[in-house]
Amino acid sequence: MTGTLDWLAHEGTSVRERIVKSLNQEERNEWRFHWGLQARKSQLAPLGEWRSWLILAGRGFGKTRAGAEWVRMIAENNCEARIALVSSSLTEARSVMVEGESGLLACCPPERRPMFEASLRRVRFPNGAQAQLFSAAEPESLRGPQFSHAWCDEIGKWPLSHDRATRAWDNLLLGLRLGNDPRIAVTTTPRAVPIVQRLLKMEEPKNVVITRGSTYDNAANLPKKFLSAIESEFGGSRLARQEIAGEMLADLEGTLWPRATIERARVDTAEKHWSRVVVAVDPPISSSGDECGIVVAGLCEDGMAYLLADYSLGQAKPGDWARAVSIAAEEWNADRVIAEANQGGAMVESVLRAANATLPVKLVHASRGKIARAEPVAALYEASKVRHCGPFPQLEDQMCGMLIGGDYAGPGRSPDRADALVWALTELMLGPVANPSVRSM
């Protein structure tokens, strides 16, 4: 039945509407599940011979749907297909790739919908084709099984510790040996991690074919509020070019913080037990100049430091940024407020006290420049001792603009957000360590 409708994909809307009225009930039932009639060209698998198809695109592009529909096509046309479904965790493989609103179960017609055997981590199609779920966090689980095809989702966020992402990918490749034409579809937001960079270097005929796209390519199917929200939150940042425009960002030469280092530090949750929480503030000289950097960081009982929040303000009056510091301290129940006092220390403390007389303020004085102060903190990232609880686009752009040797090539005149982060992590990880009681946030 699918083949019966394929030619309609090349016709205009008016022709489609006229033709669909002449379809019988079986064809009409098939209509809403015919991917070729709904997909953009960039969501369809490329023609020709290739080993891997990499969809490198922004959030909301429709990558998951494209991957699920490709798997569906393979399974329905090959009853002997054995397909690996690999995600960063089994939970995400199930909730996104199989049961998600754009997953396998949702995109298949009811009469041909596969059966998901959760206990076996297996999807069985009516014709006998099968798909098996795997977690990149368990690379050894991919050692042994054989596959004819594979779909790897969000490979850019596969776990990097202990080289697990690379090991999972290599084990998958070694198991891709069934059938005459084994292939892999990879769907991911671009991130500067080794496995994505490795695939980009392999872009050539018959090896890796790359489809690129942005969030706005799928604007017709996305809520306007979502589009305006991401533009408001990320617009103008380098991270927007990555997460929305789907660009692979290149590092500035000599940066203290390569993008890959920051991506390796990112986690999804801040639900930890903190032994200390601090708010660090880098006050501006005037309300019309630089930003006021305000960040919250916590020290976990396992010895790891976590960037929790960014409350930084641009062109704020002293009373405004002091209130923001007070709010941050109250919301996170901070042990201490760390404030740089090189520009009018007494004034900085008095402004903070005016906003909240109970703030536990500690003034710090910079004897070195911002870049020099940042170098030991950058070393903590290299040693995997710091985590980011989510994306912090403006702050991370500043981090990536801080260069070895003292130059700054990031957005704005000064890396004030990044400097506040440096003060926070210096207090938590590089200064004298206190031992207050552990608190749960």
Side-chain angles (χ1 to χ4, degrees):
M1 186 57 58
T2 301
T4 304
L5 302 176
D6 279 343
W7 66 277
L8 285 174
H10 306 288
E11 300 294 336
T13 302
S14 60
V15 175
R16 292 190 195 185
E17 291 177 350
R18 186 169 66 250
I19 295 299
V20 75
K21 293 179 181 179
S22 67
L23 299 177
N24 60 39
Q25 189 59 51
E26 183 181 4
E27 291 171 331
R28 290 185 181 184
N29 292 342
E30 190 76 26
W31 178 265
R32 63 186 290 260
F33 292 99
H34 194 287
W35 181 231
L37 296 175
Q38 304 172 45
R40 304 187 306 278
K41 185 177 180 180
S42 57
Q43 290 179 293
L44 298 174
L47 301 175
E49 297 182 12
W50 45 267
R51 171 75 165 181
S52 300
W53 173 33
L54 171 61
I55 303 180
L56 202 65
R59 305 279 187 93
F61 169 85
K63 301 184 294 294
T64 301
R65 180 69 184 275
E69 291 285 0
W70 180 78
V71 168
R72 171 193 165 194
M73 179 195 70
I74 295 298
E76 291 185 345
N77 289 303
N78 181 2
C79 63
E80 296 183 352
R82 296 296 180 266
I83 307 165
L85 305 178
V86 192
S87 189
S88 59
S89 68
L90 288 175
T91 298
E92 292 206 8
R94 175 174 179 170
S95 64
V96 176
M97 303 175 80
V98 178
E99 297 180 328
E101 58 271 17
S102 298
L104 275 173
L105 300 185
C107 72
C108 291
E111 67 274 11
R112 298 201 305 278
R113 187 162 292 160
M115 178 181 296
F116 178 43
E117 301 170 318
S119 62
L120 299 176
R121 301 185 303 183
R122 182 172 65 190
V123 178
R124 283 197 300 114
F125 291 82
N127 66 349
Q130 297 180 16
Q132 192 80 33
L133 278 64
F134 293 92
S135 167
E138 302 171 0
E140 294 305 304
S141 66
L142 285 158
R143 183 187 295 275
Q146 300 181 85
F147 316 105
S148 61
H149 300 82
W151 171 25
C152 300
D153 190 44
E154 288 299 347
I155 199 170
K157 62 178 290 188
W158 283 13
L160 297 174
S161 61
H162 305 291
D163 215 20
R164 284 182 291 178
T166 299
R167 288 163 50 208
W169 178 260
D170 289 342
N171 283 338
L172 175 63
L173 290 182
L174 292 171
L176 205 68
R177 52 183 184 262
L178 294 181
N180 298 320
D181 189 21
R183 297 189 179 199
I184 305 176
V186 180
T187 52
T188 189
T189 304
R191 287 183 171 180
V193 296
I195 193 65
V196 174
Q197 293 174 331
R198 175 174 161 184
L199 284 169
L200 289 173
K201 292 177 181 178
M202 297 170 65
E203 184 178 10
E204 60 182 55
K206 299 184 180 182
N207 203 340
V208 177
V209 176
I210 300 178
T211 296
R212 292 175 169 85
S214 82
T215 301
Y216 296 107
D217 292 344
N218 195 33
N221 298 310
L222 296 172
K224 291 183 179 179
K225 287 186 177 180
F226 167 76
L227 295 173
S228 61
I230 61 173
E231 182 61 34
S232 173
E233 177 69 23
F234 300 109
S237 69
R238 281 172 55 86
L239 195 65
R241 291 167 54 194
Q242 171 181 290
E243 299 293 320
I244 301 174
E247 294 183 34
M248 177 63 72
L249 300 181
D251 289 324
L252 297 172
E253 186 174 352
T255 179
L256 282 177
W257 276 281
R259 287 280 172 184
T261 299
I262 296 176
E263 292 296 347
R264 187 172 65 241
R266 202 178 314 284
V267 294
D268 295 328
T269 179
E271 296 178 1
K272 295 285 184 178
H273 295 279
W274 313 114
S275 57
R276 295 189 69 199
V277 173
V278 299
V279 177
V281 53
D282 180 27
I285 299 176
S286 70
S287 60
S288 60
D290 300 329
E291 290 183 314
C292 179
I294 307 169
V295 303
V296 183
L299 181 65
C300 189
E301 55 187 352
D302 63 3
M304 298 287 294
Y306 289 77
L307 172 60
L308 302 174
D310 181 4
Y311 288 76
S312 302
L313 295 175
Q315 297 186 342
K317 296 179 180 179
D320 294 332
W321 59 254
R323 279 190 292 273
V325 171
S326 177
I327 290 171
E330 290 181 2
E331 288 185 350
W332 291 93
N333 195 17
D335 301 289
R336 187 167 290 180
V337 173
I338 311 299
E340 183 177 337
N342 281 44
Q343 303 291 336
M347 181 275 292
V348 170
E349 184 172 10
S350 64
V351 169
L352 290 171
R353 296 291 187 201
N356 186 341
T358 64
L359 282 179
V361 179
K362 174 184 177 181
L363 298 180
V364 290
H365 296 267
S367 58
R368 298 180 295 167
K370 293 179 185 287
I371 307 298
R373 292 198 303 273
E375 290 180 352
V377 174
L380 294 175
Y381 280 79
E382 288 294 335
S384 297
K385 295 182 179 297
V386 184
R387 296 286 182 264
H388 284 199
C389 296
F392 298 93
Q394 292 87 358
L395 189 155
E396 290 168 5
D397 282 352
Q398 290 186 1
M399 294 169 66
C400 294
M402 300 178 79
L403 309 180
I404 298 171
D407 291 332
Y408 175 62
R413 297 189 303 180
S414 177
D416 302 293
R417 296 171 188 251
D419 199 32
L421 172 69
V422 168
W423 284 121
L425 295 179
T426 298
E427 174 69 19
L428 292 176
M429 303 288 283
L430 301 175
V433 179
N435 293 295
S437 59
V438 173
R439 293 174 293 107
S440 176
M441 299 298 294

